[in-house]
Amino acid sequence: DISGSIGTPDVKLNLGGEFIKESTATTFLRQRGYGWLLEVEDDDPEDNKPLLEELDIDLKDIYYKIRCVLMPMPSLGFNRQVVRDNPDFWGPLAVVLFFSMISLYGQFKVVSWIITIWIFGSLTIFLLARVLGGEVAYGQVLGVIGYSLLPLIVIAPLLLVVGSFEVVSTLIKLFGVFWAAYSAASLLVGEEFKTKKPLLIYPIFLLYIYFLSLYTGV
């Protein structure tokens, strides 16, 4: 009679001076050329970035630009040119979507209209500025027009309160439109336009009147 037992071979892998015991299956795969199945990739530090950093969202930068738009007076000391010179996409998009939300009045189609007017209205201002000789990019115009909707958002609660007083409501609407148009025009209409400034300021003013009409439904 032949009796006995066959034990699992004790195979060790030398990794950097340290011996690590391998199983029979691991050894078999390595001998057959399938060792790549056992490889584990190291974690890439680039994959562990926070979500906001991955999406290139700087909340401090967005907050600063909001303050620049809401307080356009040069005497306040804000570097307002950062809104034009360092454009971003997520801040203006958030402002436009928020304006769309408060403009619903039960009509969801208003949201698509506001976003469409933002995109194509900015494109119109961009093309007009380029024709007049301005050195401005479409992304800059898109950001400035989007951020400058903030004054209309600010006056929205006031219109709900004084809605029954037609004269007061009209004055608030005019104030909001002038505020928004001034914020946008002061950033987009530079010295390079010289005597052509009214040709660019006027369509900007009309654009915010249209935005306000989408909010009020008039």
Side-chain angles (χ1 to χ4, degrees):
D1 293 339
I2 299 175
S3 62
S5 61
I6 301 176
T8 303
D10 188 8
V11 180
K12 296 182 179 180
L13 179 66
N14 186 356
L15 294 176
E18 295 182 0
F19 289 93
I20 301 176
K21 186 176 180 180
E22 281 191 343
S23 65
T24 305
T26 301
T27 305
F28 176 80
L29 289 175
R30 291 191 186 280
Q31 290 175 349
R32 296 299 186 277
Y34 295 102
W36 56 271
L37 293 172
L38 306 173
E39 295 178 359
V40 179
E41 294 184 0
D42 295 333
D43 291 337
D44 188 354
E46 295 293 328
D47 296 334
N48 297 326
K49 289 183 178 180
L51 179 60
L52 293 181
E53 188 176 344
E54 283 285 343
L55 297 177
D56 196 20
I57 300 175
D58 189 343
L59 295 180
K60 291 183 179 180
D61 181 61
I62 293 175
Y63 174 66
Y64 185 81
K65 291 176 180 177
I66 288 175
R67 294 172 65 191
C68 290
V69 170
L70 291 178
M71 294 176 281
M73 290 73 70
S75 58
L76 295 177
F78 289 110
N79 181 20
R80 301 188 67 247
Q81 289 302 315
V82 72
V83 182
R84 169 179 170 170
D85 297 338
N86 186 26
D88 66 287
F89 176 73
W90 298 109
L93 179 63
V95 173
V96 172
L97 290 179
F98 186 71
F99 182 73
S100 302
M101 291 301 103
I102 65 175
S103 303
L104 282 177
Y105 286 108
Q107 299 179 358
F108 288 96
K109 63 182 180 181
V110 175
V111 177
S112 60
W113 264 110
I114 291 176
I115 295 176
T116 302
I117 295 303
W118 172 48
I119 294 174
F120 289 98
S122 299
L123 179 61
T124 303
I125 301 298
F126 163 71
L127 294 176
L128 183 58
R130 297 293 291 192
V131 169
L132 295 176
E135 295 295 331
V136 64
Y138 176 61
Q140 293 175 322
V141 178
L142 197 68
V144 170
I145 296 298
Y147 272 118
S148 296
L149 276 173
L150 286 167
L152 299 185
I153 295 176
V154 171
I155 68 169
L158 298 177
L159 294 178
L160 294 177
V161 175
V162 300
S164 57
F165 302 96
E166 185 175 349
V167 176
V168 179
S169 177
T170 301
L171 292 175
I172 292 177
K173 291 176 183 177
L174 289 175
F175 173 73
V177 170
F178 275 109
W179 185 4
Y182 175 77
S183 294
S186 61
L187 291 167
L188 294 176
V189 184
E191 292 299 326
E192 66 268 23
F193 293 101
K194 297 181 180 179
T195 58
K196 302 176 183 178
K197 289 183 179 181
L199 296 178
L200 192 59
I201 295 175
Y202 182 65
I204 291 174
F205 181 74
L206 292 181
L207 182 61
Y208 286 106
I209 288 180
Y210 191 73
F211 274 123
L212 184 64
S213 69
L214 291 174
Y215 168 72
T216 59
V218 179

